Amino acid sequence: KNNIEIGGMGIRKLHAVIKNVENTFYMQPVFEGEESGCYLNGDMILKETQIFHLDRISFGTNNMFLLLIPDT
């Protein structure tokens, strides 16, 4: 089960995985290539990538989120 579920244009049921490993955060698209639709600060990511406080994350075609990590 997903901890956070979002929906919208171009978003898949399981679009990406965001994980916290010892207070270091990573995002990994579930699909490869352009069909993943996972963008970090405007750039498509194709593999697990470290993410940071105030990064802009986009899923699909119309959804953008600002990553806020407390105490950073």
Side-chain angles (χ1 to χ4, degrees), residues 3 16-28 48-51 67 69:
N3 291 328
V17 173
I18 296 176
K19 62 185 176 180
N20 175 355
V21 179
E22 298 180 4
N23 291 324
T24 301
F25 292 82
Y26 300 91
M27 181 169 76
Q28 180 174 0
E48 183 175 271
T49 303
Q50 187 173 357
I51 56 179
L67 181 65
I69 302 172

Side-chain angles (χ1 to χ4, degrees), residues 7-67:
M9 209 171 192
I11 294 186
R12 298 173 184 265
K13 183 124 177 114
L14 182 58
H15 204 99
V17 173
I18 296 176
K19 62 185 176 180
N20 175 355
V21 179
E22 298 180 4
N23 291 324
T24 301
F25 292 82
Y26 300 91
M27 181 169 76
Q28 180 174 0
V30 174
F31 300 94
E32 294 183 10
E34 291 190 23
E35 66 183 34
S36 71
C38 291
Y39 294 85
L40 180 62
N41 299 320
D43 297 320
M44 180 180 287
I45 63 166
L46 303 174
K47 61 182 181 176
E48 183 175 271
T49 303
Q50 187 173 357
I51 56 179
F52 300 92
H53 181 65
L54 297 181
D55 274 347
R56 291 171 290 119
I57 298 173
S58 299
F59 299 116
T61 55
N62 294 319
N63 300 278
M64 183 174 290
F65 302 90
L66 184 65
L67 181 65

